[in-house]
Amino acid sequence: MQCPVDGTQLMMSDRNGVEIDYCPQCRGVWLDRGELDKIIERSVPAAATASPPPQRGYNQGYEERPRKKKRDSFLSEIFDF
């Protein structure tokens, strides 16, 4: 089979029991009908068994420090900001 992009002969490779066609020149990958579904099905159990990363709080790891008050401008004496 020829690559639709550059006409190079496609190579076949087996990835997790699914045969995929790829072009060694442009590195394009072509899948036959149903192959994408097989790849997705076989990748889901691996992702489901992995534990999610621990949740971090907004300020976790940082100590609370009092913030310095900004210097007031001369306009703040006239107007309420």
Side-chain angles (χ1 to χ4, degrees), residues 8-24:
T8 306
Q9 183 66 28
L10 293 177
M11 305 293 289
M12 292 186 73
S13 178
D14 185 78
R15 301 286 180 185
N16 296 333
V18 179
E19 284 188 352
I20 61 172
D21 301 316
Y22 71 95
C23 176

Side-chain angles (χ1 to χ4, degrees), residues 16-73:
N16 296 333
V18 179
E19 284 188 352
I20 61 172
D21 301 316
Y22 71 95
C23 176
Q25 190 72 24
C26 71
R27 300 179 56 105
V29 176
W30 285 267
L31 302 172
D32 295 332
R33 183 183 306 267
E35 288 178 341
L36 179 61
D37 294 331
K38 289 179 187 177
I39 291 171
I40 292 171
E41 287 172 4
R42 293 176 186 175
S43 68
V44 170
T49 58
S51 61
Q55 295 290 331
R56 296 193 62 164
Y58 176 72
N59 287 330
Q60 185 176 358
Y62 296 97
E63 60 187 55
E64 287 292 323
R65 294 182 285 211
R67 295 181 180 237
K68 293 182 181 179
K69 186 177 177 183
K70 290 185 178 181
R71 236 173 94 188
D72 290 336
S73 69

